[in-house]
Amino acid sequence: MRLVMKFGGVSLANGVKIKAVADLIKSVKDTVKEQVIVTSALFDVTDILHEIAPRVVKEGKVEQVKEFVQGFRTMHEIVASEAIADEQILRVVKGELREQMEYLEKALIGICLLGELTARSCDYIVSFGERLAAPILAGTLQSIGIDAVHLTGGEAGIITNDDFGNAQVIAGAEDRIRARIMPLLKDNKVPVVCGYIGETKEGIITTTGRGGSDYTATLIGAAIGADETWLWKETEGIMSADPEIIKDARKIPYISYMEAMELSYFGASVLHPRAIEPVIEKKVPIRVKNLQMPEDAGTLIAEEPEQTDKAAKAITIIENASIVNIAGTAVKSISELAARIFSVLAMERVDIIMISHGSSERTVSIVINSAELKRAINAIQSINTSGTVIRDFTSNSNVCAMGVVGAGMAGTPGVAGKIFSALGNEGVSMIMISQGSSEYNISFVVKKEDAYRAAQAIHDMFEMGK
Ligand code: ASP
Ligand code: MG
């Protein structure tokens, strides 16, 4: 059997936990001969790097950089010392950490002196999270007798475009991944690959977006024809709803690629949105496994079964959503208005969660992440400088977007009706609704104060928790 396993989050919070991860890898190795490990940064480290970079640019103090790197280095060294018992291996790992720290310090001093942080330098700086974690995990594995070698994303063949902060893998990467990984497996080695980061053809470091280690793992899984890709998390698996909000939320044992993709795009933070793409064609199942219950089967993400037991399997809530209503004036058609709006939003990289329109009034409503609202408003306002196109526009951030997901909804009459009556019973009114043509997802918008009640009512109505 051939397996790709990804670790991240709290499981990499300290040396004791990393040792536990290594022991888990070893116990899986008893039955699974070929394993590739993908690692995220140590817990919280990516956030820390994302925070320090703009701060040193703003404050411009080289002393501050030195102090930061000192603390950062000590923290990583402590973790390594806790995880690695073998003195000699520990010494080698500490040497590797020191070398990486020098590069990190140079980069931070560079942006500090220049007073400028580009997307490209930001990716370079945050990539150190994974580049420091991989030697520690590989060293920990070596110290318990596993022949582990660590690789950056680029070294593992993850070649991307230069869309810094959100890079995508380019054609040909698969062959390269195979060429880099397979010889190591043949040699009985366990590759420990940095998740989240890749490299352009020219060798410039990129990142694939927050939570991108999932994507790294499934890319490798697809490229090397793994039997399965396991994403180890702190949750039971993929849940029917957020258990902190919804009573009776439960683990979904089996979910199709398409359903999982809908969920990850619609606010369920359990998976990186692009993580499903690489494995669909190759049909490599993904398993979301719980670190607290390693024996549990977790959630299996695979092909659509012939029959699904439930019409709707899960409900998600995007809490920080804003709705923007735009009314056109001197436009000939809704298409013209929409074209102008979407092109400026695309230019500003505002992601649209939902769209709807009313043709008679020439209005378009979009739902976006509230964090992007300011950018969106500026972009939409800019349309008017080239003639009067927009008569009026309003926005409302006191809303939540919700998504109901399930392949069984396709072609099943009455699903929307059930959603309406669940909301009606609760006295919740719907502000906007849309359904994709796949019919795998019905999404709608309600007032913020109604959201949890609405979600619970729908979860109950479709018996998602049973
Ligand atoms: N370390 C990166 C992040 O925190 C990638 C990951 O965790 O998957 O976003
Ligand atoms: Mg992380």
Side-chain angles (χ1 to χ4, degrees):
M1 191 170 170
R2 186 178 293 163
L3 212 56
V4 178
M5 300 208 290
K6 176 240 144 168
F7 295 89
V10 192
S11 72
L12 306 179
N14 58 46
V16 175
K17 294 199 169 189
I18 292 175
K19 173 66 172 38
V21 164
D23 289 337
L24 176 59
I25 292 170
K26 190 171 182 177
S27 71
V28 174
K29 188 107 172 75
D30 290 342
T31 47
V32 180
K33 273 250 156 315
E34 298 182 322
Q35 274 189 57
V36 179
I37 306 301
V38 173
T39 182
S40 303
L42 300 193
F43 178 60
D44 229 13
V45 159
T46 309
D47 282 336
I48 293 171
L49 291 169
H50 267 291
E51 202 251 340
I52 189 74
R55 189 140 55 87
V56 303
V57 168
K58 193 160 151 235
E59 293 171 15
K61 294 199 194 87
V62 172
E63 265 321 298
Q64 183 191 29
V65 171
K66 295 204 161 149
E67 224 169 86
F68 168 78
V69 173
Q70 179 81 40
F72 200 60
R73 175 173 149 190
T74 308
M75 186 271 273
H76 279 84
E77 284 186 352
I78 290 174
V79 170
S81 314
E82 283 171 343
I84 304 170
D86 185 304
E87 287 297 327
Q88 204 179 335
I89 295 171
L90 181 60
R91 208 171 318 122
V92 174
V93 170
K94 280 189 176 169
E96 291 174 319
L97 296 181
R98 212 167 306 129
E99 198 186 327
Q100 294 292 335
M101 289 298 171
E102 278 167 24
Y103 289 121
L104 172 62
E105 184 171 277
K106 282 194 186 123
L108 285 172
I109 291 176
I111 59 166
C112 173
L113 295 175
L114 290 171
E116 183 184 66
L117 180 64
T118 60
R120 172 174 162 173
S121 42
C122 183
D123 269 7
Y124 178 73
I125 287 163
V126 300
S127 77
F128 281 94
E130 274 69 13
R131 286 156 76 184
L132 291 160
I136 297 177
L137 181 54
T140 311
L141 287 165
Q142 288 159 10
S143 75
I144 56 171
I146 292 179
D147 194 1
V149 280
H150 59 87
L151 296 87
T152 63
E155 285 164 351
I158 310 282
I159 304 303
T160 71
N161 61 13
D162 64 357
D163 188 359
F164 296 106
N166 185 30
Q168 278 137 64
V169 167
I170 59 172
E174 261 199 13
D175 291 341
R176 179 124 35 153
I177 295 169
R178 217 175 301 122
R180 298 287 169 93
I181 299 289
M182 291 314 288
L184 296 172
L185 295 180
K186 290 239 156 60
D187 257 6
N188 245 326
K189 293 193 187 312
V190 173
V192 176
V193 180
C194 295
Y196 181 51
I197 65 175
E199 202 170 287
T200 65
K201 272 192 289 205
E202 293 75 29
I204 298 157
I205 293 213
T206 57
T207 71
T208 55
R210 296 309 305 270
S213 304
D214 289 346
Y215 184 45
T216 306
T218 57
L219 277 167
I220 296 176
I224 65 168
D227 292 289
E228 288 189 7
T229 296
W230 291 4
L231 307 174
W232 289 91
K233 310 255 171 184
E234 285 79 39
T235 57
E236 264 182 81
I238 295 182
M239 306 291 288
S240 60
D242 183 343
E244 285 183 12
I245 298 172
I246 301 301
K247 192 164 70 28
D248 304 327
R250 58 142 212 166
K251 179 186 88 179
I252 303 172
Y254 191 99
I255 191 168
S256 70
Y257 293 127
M258 288 306 163
E259 290 171 323
M261 195 133 96
E262 291 284 356
L263 278 179
S264 60
Y265 273 105
F266 219 90
S269 54
V270 65
L271 277 184
H272 183 275
R274 276 201 308 279
I276 307 290
E277 274 166 34
V279 295
I280 294 181
E281 205 186 313
K282 295 276 163 62
K283 302 188 175 45
V284 177
I286 300 173
R287 215 177 265 281
V288 179
K289 296 265 291 176
N290 184 358
L291 279 156
Q292 311 309 321
M293 300 191 282
E295 302 302 323
D296 190 81
T299 294
L300 183 64
I301 308 172
E303 278 189 285
E304 200 78 64
E306 295 270 304
Q307 280 209 317
T308 47
D309 51 341
K310 282 196 174 66
K313 281 193 185 155
I315 179 155
T316 56
I317 306 179
I318 300 181
E319 302 213 31
N320 294 314
S322 292
I323 189 165
V324 185
N325 304 301
I326 306 135
T329 168
V331 286
K332 286 192 214 74
S333 65
I334 243 332
S335 326
E336 191 184 334
L337 177 64
R340 300 234 193 160
I341 295 168
F342 296 149
S343 78
V344 289
L345 292 179
M347 230 142 55
E348 287 303 315
R349 296 179 178 218
V350 174
D351 242 348
I352 298 175
I353 301 169
M354 282 170 68
I355 304 166
S356 86
H357 83 275
S359 46
S360 63
E361 305 157 26
R362 305 259 155 100
T363 59
V364 172
S365 300
I366 57 167
V367 176
I368 56 173
N369 207 306
S370 293
E372 300 184 343
L373 181 62
K374 226 171 155 185
R375 250 188 307 143
I377 289 178
N378 288 340
I380 293 166
Q381 263 161 348
S382 76
I383 301 176
N384 259 358
T385 59
S386 49
T388 37
V389 175
I390 292 168
R391 173 160 48 84
D392 188 21
F393 82 94
T394 55
S395 68
N396 179 0
S397 297
N398 189 33
V399 296
C400 289
M402 328 237 284
V404 181
V405 171
M409 301 198 300
T412 307
V415 173
K418 270 172 114 174
I419 294 176
F420 281 117
S421 55
L423 297 189
N425 295 343
E426 289 293 323
V428 171
S429 91
M430 215 185 253
I431 300 171
M432 177 170 158
I433 180 164
S434 89
Q435 179 182 39
S437 56
S438 74
E439 296 184 51
Y440 281 16
N441 179 344
I442 294 181
S443 38
F444 55 92
V445 176
V446 298
K447 274 197 236 137
K448 229 178 203 125
E449 69 243 40
D450 291 338
Y452 291 0
R453 226 164 7 108
Q456 186 70 60
I458 289 168
H459 197 266
D460 293 345
M461 177 71 94
F462 288 95
E463 300 188 326
M464 291 175 186
K466 295 206 177 113

